Amino acid sequence: MSFKKKKYVFAVIMIFSVIFMFGMTARHEKLYAEGIGVVSVKGYLNVRTGPGKYYSKLKYGDTGVVLSDGQRVTVVGKNGSWYHIKFKQNSKNLSGYVNRKYLKFKTGKTYSSIAGYIVSEVYVRKNMNTAKVYIKHDKEKIKLPVKRKVRVYSEKYAEKKRWYYASFKYDGTTYKGYIEADSVDITYGTGLPGMSKSSMALTLYANPSKRTAVLNSSGKSVLIQKGAQFVITSQKFFNEKKYFYIKVISAKTTYRGYVQADSVYFQLVRDENAVSKATATPSRTETPTKTTKPEKTEEPTKEPEKTQTPSSEPETAAEFKKSLKKAGFPDDYITELANLHEKYPYWQFKPYKTGLKWSDVIKNESKVGLNLLSVNKSYAWKSTASKAYNWKTDKYIPYDGSTWVTASKKAVKYYMDPRNFLDERGIFQFESLEYQSDSQTQSGVENILNNTPMHNKKYKYTSNGKSVSVKYSKTFMTAAKKSKVSPYHLASRVKQEVVVSSTKMSNSVSGTVAGYKGIYNFYNIGANNSVVAGGAVANGLKWAKTGSTYLRPWNNRYKSIVGGAQYIGKNYINIGQNTLYLEKFNVTSKNRYNHQYMGNIEAPNNEATKTVAAYGAIDKKMPMVFSIPVYEKMPDKPCDVPSGGKNPNNYLKTLYIKGYAFDSKFVLGDNGTKTYTLTVNNSVASVKICATKVSKYSTLTGTGVKNLVVGENTFYVKVKSESGNTRKYKIVVTRK
């Protein structure tokens, strides 16, 4: 081969090598399925250059950029209560920030991370290079055990596999790295937003193992196009391939089915850190001049109140851990609290030493009817104790309305274990709920009231013969000052109790219930559990109508909101039940295990989420106090989330021998402890045992024709529940 030819071949090889390496690198990029938001405003929405109302308005040329109602934008990041967006205007690609309350999403929510659990032991990679560098602890490769909790921030596709970039705890230290996706079971909850990035349309399958497609009204297969958004509710494997079960809207019709997971990604928005004041100072918004343009929607221009600066510098990490230990926190609290301290150095954590034995607490809080949750939860969440579940009918017994049933002991353990909620969101169920004028504002209340009929809305009432018009948010601020209770807590409590949807509230605040017209109860105080339709509401309205304390009778909205806040302050916050956790789980010395504000066991966790949303981007120098319960003889590890579960019923509905009667008749509800006897003549060589089961999910064996020998013949009818437990019913037939 000539020298020139050799140079040519070498050049071609180099070019292909570069192309190959470029392709490999491209496959290793983080893949964010960024959400598509739709602007929802009256008039126009200003776009800012940074995540806050005091950043200057984004300009294109010399003109401020505004977005109109219904305009689509791509969300690329989240910063407190602001979204970082990109969009096209006049053929120009632009990016900026808007307040999140003015964007709506087809999938309902956006996430910057999602939780999951390890389902098979796995090593963690440091990067996705071909060198395969693993993360090590004490010079040993980290191998995550089953059930270890991880938090996923992004996804990659490399080496013909899907990988999650996730954080996790290992021996008290937080690490981040790449984990094979098939080794992680994502916690889907009510659903996570997803998006297709496939270059080809994906078929929606009703049965992926048989490749049976979901059909539309025209009889054609439903196809998921590139960029389509949907909600992922679970995952399964069929023929060694992973599928997501999704809910998708197409042509205004909702379809459900499976799509192959290869080209589907979670919509994970980057979590951006706020710009440090030390490095960048946002420019103030100038007072607007009069204009003939339509009104623009933006955050209020009022200067926020200054937070008090602590008089001393925060402790170092080592000092802080020692302080926590000295204060009385167990070791398995300290690691998580130290992580929070690193990010929020002025937060204070105080142990609430209950002095109570963990097993005694769980026993008392697991009483039937005390802690409730939705009957639609999986079996593991629901109690099958006596009076909580009817074995005769395979039905859970409601204790509020028709859908609220008793929580299982596993559910009580999970929600009562403080160690499960020592993160930036869950910690707020331990926040002290006294009113703090330096950090709680009316705009924060509006954030909580978003997507409710009270958001940015006024109502009217009569005071001293005069008609008064006032915003709900301002009333909550008034209520906070009078009751010394956090306005965020009051607003989120009302949202939890009486808001049905973005346009509707319950009968408790309609003022139209027969016998209680013009009466309102925003906090559902006195609305004791009742299985009678409307019974709980009627109980609450009766309480609101009678008596003279707390501004009663509550014959207008103002009295109900302010008076109800005073009731909460006097009867809960100001007597020691001063956190969301203690309002629900009363482990204080007064009225212990009673006087619990709400039945919903998930309420403290849910309201903590709403409180975080109200604060938005929290100033890292804002002093906040958290009171966290500590119990005696707690389990070595945090109590697990109840998962899955199957139907527990293994009872018989009927049991008899055809043509004969037992000496003692079978009665529905028998638990199998009784023996059924029968004596037949010598001429009877066989009998037929007949039975039916209570649950359609159980398995029945032992019935049918049975041959008899002279003397006693013992038979067993067995019922195996879907959950795997077997109950035996004994029959003894004596042949003369």
Side-chain angles (χ1 to χ4, degrees):
M1 184 182 294
S2 68
F3 178 74
K4 287 186 177 181
K5 286 185 177 180
K6 286 182 179 179
K7 286 180 63 178
Y8 175 80
V9 172
F10 178 77
V12 170
I13 292 173
M14 287 299 294
I15 290 171
F16 275 99
S17 297
V18 171
I19 292 173
F20 175 77
M21 290 303 294
F22 178 81
M24 288 295 290
T25 303
R27 291 294 273 173
H28 294 170
E29 290 180 342
K30 286 185 181 180
L31 295 171
Y32 291 94
E34 296 154 341
I36 305 299
V38 178
V39 176
S40 177
V41 294
K42 293 180 179 179
Y44 292 89
L45 175 64
N46 286 316
V47 181
R48 300 280 174 182
T49 58
K53 61 185 178 181
Y54 294 120
Y55 282 86
S56 60
K57 297 177 184 177
L58 180 68
K59 290 187 176 182
Y60 177 44
D62 294 325
T63 306
V65 176
V66 294
L67 302 174
S68 57
D69 185 54
Q71 187 169 344
R72 288 163 59 92
V73 298
T74 299
V75 178
V76 298
K78 184 189 294 185
N79 194 318
S81 60
W82 292 75
Y83 281 131
H84 188 182
I85 64 170
K86 62 181 181 181
F87 54 97
K88 184 172 287 189
Q89 196 164 94
N90 297 327
S91 301
K92 178 73 173 178
N93 292 320
L94 301 172
S95 67
Y97 291 81
V98 296
N99 192 289
R100 67 182 181 187
K101 66 183 177 181
Y102 300 119
L103 287 187
K104 291 185 177 180
F105 296 86
K106 194 173 183 179
T107 53
K109 296 181 180 179
T110 58
Y111 294 84
S112 55
S113 64
I114 53 179
Y117 293 85
I118 299 298
V119 293
S120 59
E121 292 185 326
V122 62
Y123 289 107
V124 185
R125 297 265 289 270
K126 187 175 183 179
N127 54 37
M128 298 309 302
N129 297 334
T130 54
K132 295 184 179 179
V133 179
Y134 292 91
I135 292 180
K136 295 182 178 181
H137 179 81
D138 291 339
K139 299 182 180 180
E140 294 290 332
K141 290 193 297 185
I142 290 179
K143 189 176 185 180
L144 293 183
V146 174
K147 293 187 178 180
R148 179 60 53 86
K149 185 177 181 180
V150 299
R151 182 153 290 279
V152 176
Y153 297 95
S154 64
E155 302 175 81
K156 287 187 176 184
Y157 193 89
E159 301 174 354
K160 297 182 179 180
K161 295 178 183 178
R162 183 190 297 262
W163 299 76
Y164 291 146
Y165 183 65
S167 67
F168 57 92
K169 300 283 186 185
Y170 192 84
D171 199 18
T173 303
T174 300
Y175 292 92
K176 287 185 179 181
Y178 294 98
I179 304 170
E180 289 186 36
D182 288 347
S183 298
V184 180
D185 190 1
I186 296 298
T187 303
Y188 291 92
T190 56
L192 298 172
M195 178 185 289
S196 170
K197 287 205 168 186
S198 173
S199 58
M200 300 178 64
L202 302 176
T203 301
L204 185 66
Y205 293 109
N207 188 334
S209 62
K210 296 182 179 180
R211 311 293 283 182
T212 305
V214 175
L215 304 180
N216 59 24
S217 58
S218 301
K220 296 182 179 180
S221 298
V222 175
L223 300 177
I224 310 300
Q225 304 295 335
K226 180 179 181 180
Q229 299 180 84
F230 38 76
V231 175
I232 305 172
T233 59
S234 64
Q235 66 182 43
K236 282 188 178 181
F237 287 86
F238 296 94
N239 299 327
E240 298 184 346
K241 290 185 178 180
K242 186 176 181 179
Y243 288 80
F244 286 127
Y245 187 71
I246 70 169
K247 179 175 68 175
V248 62
I249 299 175
S250 178
K252 297 184 179 181
T253 300
T254 300
Y255 297 95
R256 291 175 172 82
Y258 295 90
V259 291
Q260 198 164 329
D262 289 352
S263 300
V264 172
Y265 293 89
F266 296 110
Q267 291 188 44
L268 293 174
V269 175
R270 279 186 286 266
D271 191 7
E272 302 177 351
N273 292 321
V275 178
S276 171
K277 292 181 180 179
T279 58
T281 303
S283 58
R284 295 294 182 92
T285 304
E286 296 179 355
T287 304
T289 55
K290 292 184 178 180
T291 176
T292 57
K293 290 184 178 181
E295 182 182 355
K296 297 173 184 175
T297 304
E298 60 182 324
E299 288 298 292
T301 56
K302 182 182 177 181
E303 182 79 19
E305 297 177 84
K306 295 182 179 179
T307 58
Q308 296 178 352
T309 303
S311 57
S312 61
E313 287 297 312
E315 297 172 295
T316 65
E319 291 171 340
F320 185 73
K321 287 184 178 181
K322 288 182 180 179
S323 296
L324 292 177
K325 185 77 173 178
K326 186 177 180 180
F329 278 114
D331 291 338
D332 48 3
Y333 283 59
I334 291 174
T335 299
E336 300 293 340
L337 295 178
N339 290 335
L340 286 173
H341 172 74
E342 185 176 354
K343 189 168 184 179
Y344 301 100
Y346 292 96
W347 283 9
Q348 297 180 48
F349 306 109
K350 297 181 178 180
Y352 179 73
K353 299 177 183 178
T354 64
L356 302 175
K357 189 177 177 182
W358 174 255
S359 58
D360 292 337
V361 172
I362 298 304
K363 179 182 177 180
N364 282 281
E365 286 288 347
S366 296
K367 291 178 181 177
V368 173
L370 183 60
N371 287 296
L372 310 178
L373 40 66
S374 170
V375 73
N376 295 320
K377 299 284 282 189
S378 65
Y379 288 105
W381 290 88
K382 297 176 289 191
S383 173
T384 55
S386 176
K387 297 184 180 181
Y389 173 77
N390 190 337
W391 295 91
K392 298 179 183 179
T393 61
D394 191 23
K395 300 290 185 183
Y396 290 89
I397 300 171
Y399 278 84
D400 188 5
S402 60
T403 61
W404 290 90
V405 300
T406 302
S408 67
K409 185 172 286 188
K410 284 184 178 180
V412 174
K413 287 181 178 179
Y414 172 71
Y415 276 115
M416 287 204 71
D417 192 338
R419 296 171 297 179
N420 286 322
F421 305 99
L422 302 181
D423 54 37
E424 290 183 71
R425 182 201 58 79
I427 193 73
F428 279 87
Q429 63 185 275
F430 309 117
E431 180 194 7
S432 179
L433 295 181
E434 289 87 3
Y435 174 49
Q436 300 173 47
S437 61
D438 58 344
S439 60
Q440 296 163 345
T441 64
Q442 187 174 339
S443 61
V445 174
E446 288 288 3
N447 284 341
I448 288 183
L449 298 180
N450 193 26
N451 291 321
T452 76
M454 297 177 285
H455 176 55
N456 205 27
K457 291 290 193 301
K458 290 184 176 181
Y459 67 91
K460 292 182 179 181
Y461 70 98
T462 301
S463 177
N464 297 324
K466 295 182 179 180
S467 178
V468 179
S469 178
V470 63
K471 278 189 174 182
Y472 283 99
S473 57
K474 185 173 182 180
T475 305
F476 281 113
M477 293 302 296
T478 301
K481 293 173 184 176
K482 290 181 177 293
S483 65
K484 306 303 179 185
V485 179
S486 163
Y488 296 168
H489 173 57
L490 297 175
S492 62
R493 173 59 53 77
V494 168
K495 191 172 182 178
Q496 182 90 0
E497 293 289 341
V498 301
V499 172
V500 177
S501 69
S502 61
T503 58
K504 184 179 179 181
M505 292 195 285
S506 75
N507 283 337
S508 296
V509 293
S510 68
T512 60
V513 175
Y516 303 98
K517 290 187 176 180
I519 299 298
Y520 304 84
N521 192 338
F522 276 79
Y523 304 94
N524 269 338
I525 297 171
N528 301 319
N529 298 340
S530 173
V531 295
V532 179
V537 170
N539 289 339
L541 292 176
K542 180 179 179 181
W543 193 93
K545 185 178 181 179
T546 57
S548 57
T549 55
Y550 311 112
L551 304 183
R552 287 183 295 170
W554 291 343
N555 51 15
N556 62 48
R557 292 174 173 84
Y558 179 89
K559 286 184 178 181
S560 178
I561 295 174
V562 176
Q566 292 174 331
Y567 172 88
I568 293 171
K570 183 175 181 180
N571 292 280
Y572 290 90
I573 309 304
N574 302 326
I575 63 168
Q577 288 179 261
N578 60 350
T579 66
L580 292 170
Y581 183 97
L582 292 177
E583 282 190 355
K584 176 66 194 91
F585 306 115
N586 185 10
V587 291
T588 69
S589 59
K590 186 175 182 179
N591 296 316
R592 183 175 294 155
Y593 307 127
N594 291 296
H595 195 253
Q596 301 192 154
Y597 189 88
M598 67 287 280
N600 182 5
I601 194 173
E602 297 177 302
N605 190 43
N606 293 342
E607 292 192 24
T609 300
K610 295 170 188 174
T611 302
V612 172
Y615 278 117
I618 298 175
D619 186 342
K620 293 183 178 181
K621 287 192 175 183
M622 180 189 295
M624 303 185 76
V625 179
F626 300 91
S627 177
I628 307 167
V630 175
Y631 300 96
E632 302 293 332
K633 297 184 179 180
M634 295 187 71
D636 292 335
K637 296 180 179 180
C639 298
D640 289 335
V641 180
S643 61
K646 296 181 179 180
N647 188 284
N649 198 288
N650 55 6
Y651 272 60
L652 280 180
K653 182 184 290 185
T654 62
L655 177 64
Y656 61 95
I657 291 182
K658 189 174 183 180
Y660 299 91
F662 289 129
D663 293 335
S664 178
K665 186 179 179 181
F666 173 85
V667 177
L668 176 62
D670 178 25
N671 62 6
T673 58
K674 187 176 179 180
T675 299
Y676 294 91
T677 59
L678 170 67
T679 301
V680 298
N681 293 326
N682 178 266
S683 59
V684 180
S686 64
V687 293
K688 185 178 182 180
I689 299 177
C690 302
T692 58
K693 52 199 175 110
V694 171
S695 173
K696 64 180 180 180
Y697 300 105
S698 62
T699 304
L700 178 65
T701 57
T703 58
V705 176
K706 307 294 181 181
N707 294 324
L708 302 176
V709 298
V710 175
E712 286 189 355
N713 298 263
T714 301
F715 306 103
Y716 290 95
V717 175
K718 299 179 180 180
V719 187
K720 185 177 182 180
S721 69
E722 186 187 30
S723 61
N725 296 320
T726 300
R727 189 178 301 278
K728 296 192 296 185
Y729 293 81
K730 185 178 180 180
I731 300 172
V732 177
V733 180
T734 302
R735 181 183 178 188
K736 293 181 180 179

